[in-house]
Amino acid sequence: MKKLLIPLFLSLSATLAAPAFAATQEEVRGLINKATTTREAAAAAGFEWTGTADLITRAQTALETDNIAAAEALARQALKQAQNAVAQAEYADAHWRETKPD
Amino acid sequence: MKKILLSVMALSALLTALISCGVEEDFREAVQADSDTFRAYFAKRFSQVAFADYKNGIYAIDSDSRDQWLEIEEFPPYELNIDNGKALFETPFSNGKGYPGCFANGGIGIRQNYPYFDTEIGEVITLELALNRCREANGEPALGYKNGDLVDISAYMAFTSRDNLFAIEVPNRDAYDAYLKGQKLFYSKHGQLNMACADCHMRATGQKLRADIPGPALGQTTGFPVYRSKWESLGSLHYRYEGCMRDIRAKPFALQSTEFRNLEYFQSIMGNGLAVNGPSARK
């Protein structure tokens, strides 16, 4: 009985949770656009990271092939990287002198 | 009334001159203070190392690798590059002119004055950039900045300048701004690994960083171009900068970009007083 309940519980959870968490194609496209503009801001400040552009390209490819879940994961990763790079630039502007030797 | 007006104008001109003179002095003092602090940092970290020895990079502080390096320098791997550089340097352009005409003293023994801040165009000019601008001014195509012929010519010019002491100046406020931008790049953390030049080449120098010991930042530019065993070729300083940025997962600036030239400017000023010893060999 227990063996039957576990898969039943898992499939029910997946069914109920899926509509609540899965992003739509439009939402993922929005994420990719946001990641792109944030990456551009990091690049303009001279603080772009090496992997971000590749993550965006891979997210776009996944979206084109209707692999929405993968596209979303890649776009979120790219956005996080780009946001961290912008934060790094802002931190450097405000604090770089503090790391000079006394 | 006219006399009073003239006196006021003269006084105001005098005050302006005095103020701007004060500003000039301010930035020169700031650069000197930076340089003193920078040197003091390394003097404290490696009290047994003489200032003049910092031109040897990692080999100034790591005796094990120094022995290997001295053996390598007995038959320098960059010797053919110097020969090639000399031949290219002495070969006239299609228009009959040549490199010597673009440089002071015919380009011989002048490495210690590069990079310099060109006050007319308002930017830092490195030796490699000056070489390519010389080519372009004479109708020749620019050469690549990573390695190859341009770097060989730079190596030859450095070779003719060996033992001359670096003497890079900060001539005006704009030059000081370029210096500050280079200094900011040096001390700011970049890339996914969140590291600055200073993290490796000041704080971690002398310690193992995975399999390597990062060289000290003081005197880091004096030996370029360098023959790196990893590259199996002679390469430029900006090629090395590019590799450093990639290593910390930061997107590198272009070779001879304003950013890298400013960084070279700052680093070279910190190394003022050290001898030119390029080209040289590095791991």
Side-chain angles (χ1 to χ4, degrees):
Chain A
M1 184 64 184
K2 200 176 176 186
K3 276 184 185 170
L4 277 174
L5 276 175
I6 291 171
L8 185 67
F9 175 75
L10 286 175
S11 57
L12 257 175
S13 313
T15 314
L16 292 171
F21 295 107
T24 64
Q25 200 170 26
E26 274 316 297
E27 284 168 339
V28 174
R29 206 181 303 282
L31 272 176
I32 292 173
N33 289 341
K34 196 173 175 189
T36 303
T37 51
T38 313
R39 182 198 68 78
E40 284 166 357
F47 280 78
E48 186 182 354
W49 295 5
T50 45
T52 317
D54 181 54
L55 284 169
I56 292 170
T57 307
R58 285 166 57 200
Q60 281 165 336
T61 308
L63 189 66
E64 282 160 18
T65 54
D66 282 335
N67 192 347
I68 310 291
E72 184 192 0
L74 288 161
R76 285 195 188 283
Q77 215 181 325
L79 179 59
K80 189 70 192 164
Q81 278 202 8
Q83 286 169 335
N84 283 340
V86 169
Q88 194 177 46
E90 288 167 356
Y91 185 87
D93 276 343
H95 298 282
W96 72 268
R97 284 185 174 84
E98 294 164 17
T99 57
K100 286 168 63 178
D102 297 325
Chain B
M1 185 65 184
K2 201 176 173 184
K3 274 184 184 171
I4 293 170
L5 266 176
L6 277 172
S7 306
V8 169
M9 280 169 73
L11 192 66
S12 128
L14 185 67
L15 275 173
T16 311
L18 282 172
I19 289 166
S20 64
C21 191
V23 171
E24 298 276 305
E25 286 310 310
D26 282 352
F27 75 72
R28 289 209 171 89
E29 279 171 20
V31 171
Q32 190 56 54
D34 283 344
S35 177
D36 292 344
T37 317
F38 200 81
R39 287 184 191 190
Y41 178 89
F42 286 100
K44 195 175 170 189
R45 278 294 300 277
F46 307 106
S47 54
Q48 76 287 4
V49 177
F51 171 70
D53 212 26
Y54 279 99
K55 69 178 181 181
N56 296 322
I58 182 64
Y59 310 115
I61 61 166
D62 181 28
S63 57
D64 289 345
S65 55
R66 185 186 179 99
D67 293 341
Q68 293 170 29
W69 169 67
L70 287 173
E71 281 180 24
I72 291 170
E73 289 281 358
E74 280 180 29
F75 298 99
Y78 48 77
E79 215 163 14
L80 294 175
N81 299 93
I82 295 174
D83 293 344
N84 183 46
K86 183 176 192 293
L88 290 165
F89 183 82
E90 290 171 351
T91 305
F93 300 132
S94 308
N95 65 3
K97 294 179 181 173
Y99 292 108
C102 293
F103 295 92
N105 199 38
I108 303 300
I110 57 159
R111 174 68 183 90
Q112 69 281 358
N113 301 323
Y114 285 83
Y116 71 93
F117 188 84
D118 188 319
T119 51
E120 280 180 22
I121 54 176
E123 63 176 342
V124 173
I125 305 293
T126 63
L127 184 57
E128 289 79 10
L129 186 69
L131 281 165
N132 257 347
R133 290 206 171 154
C134 175
R135 291 180 59 81
E136 287 168 338
N138 286 285
E140 301 287 332
L143 297 170
Y145 287 117
K146 183 176 161 183
N147 49 27
D149 286 347
L150 186 81
V151 177
D152 288 355
I153 298 167
S154 170
Y156 167 67
M157 293 174 79
F159 185 71
T160 66
S161 315
R162 275 191 171 178
D163 297 329
N164 293 348
L165 302 183
F166 273 91
I168 312 297
E169 292 176 354
V170 183
N172 61 20
R173 189 79 207 180
D174 290 340
Y176 182 58
D177 286 344
Y179 163 89
L180 281 180
K181 283 175 184 162
Q183 189 182 44
K184 184 189 172 197
L185 180 51
F186 181 83
Y187 287 110
S188 298
K189 291 176 186 294
H190 281 74
Q192 196 171 8
L193 301 193
N194 200 34
M195 292 176 85
C197 306
D199 286 331
C200 285
H201 299 288
M202 291 191 79
R203 288 168 209 109
T205 183
Q207 299 166 24
K208 284 269 186 193
L209 205 66
R210 297 179 74 180
D212 284 319
I213 301 172
L218 182 58
Q220 212 159 25
T221 61
T222 63
F224 276 85
V226 302
Y227 184 97
R228 272 191 96 200
S229 308
K230 185 182 172 183
W231 293 338
E232 296 182 340
S233 74
L234 193 76
S236 65
L237 176 64
H238 290 206
Y239 181 26
R240 187 69 195 94
Y241 284 160
E242 183 188 56
C244 278
M245 288 196 78
R246 277 193 207 289
D247 287 346
I248 56 168
R249 297 185 200 163
K251 189 170 179 193
F253 300 108
L255 276 64
Q256 296 299 326
S257 58
T258 309
E259 289 86 354
F260 276 169
R261 280 185 279 142
N262 290 342
L263 179 60
E264 181 178 343
Y265 189 51
F266 164 72
Q267 282 209 287
S268 301
I269 289 165
M270 292 298 100
N272 268 349
L274 290 171
V276 176
N277 62 337
S280 58
R282 294 287 184 272
K283 280 190 273 188

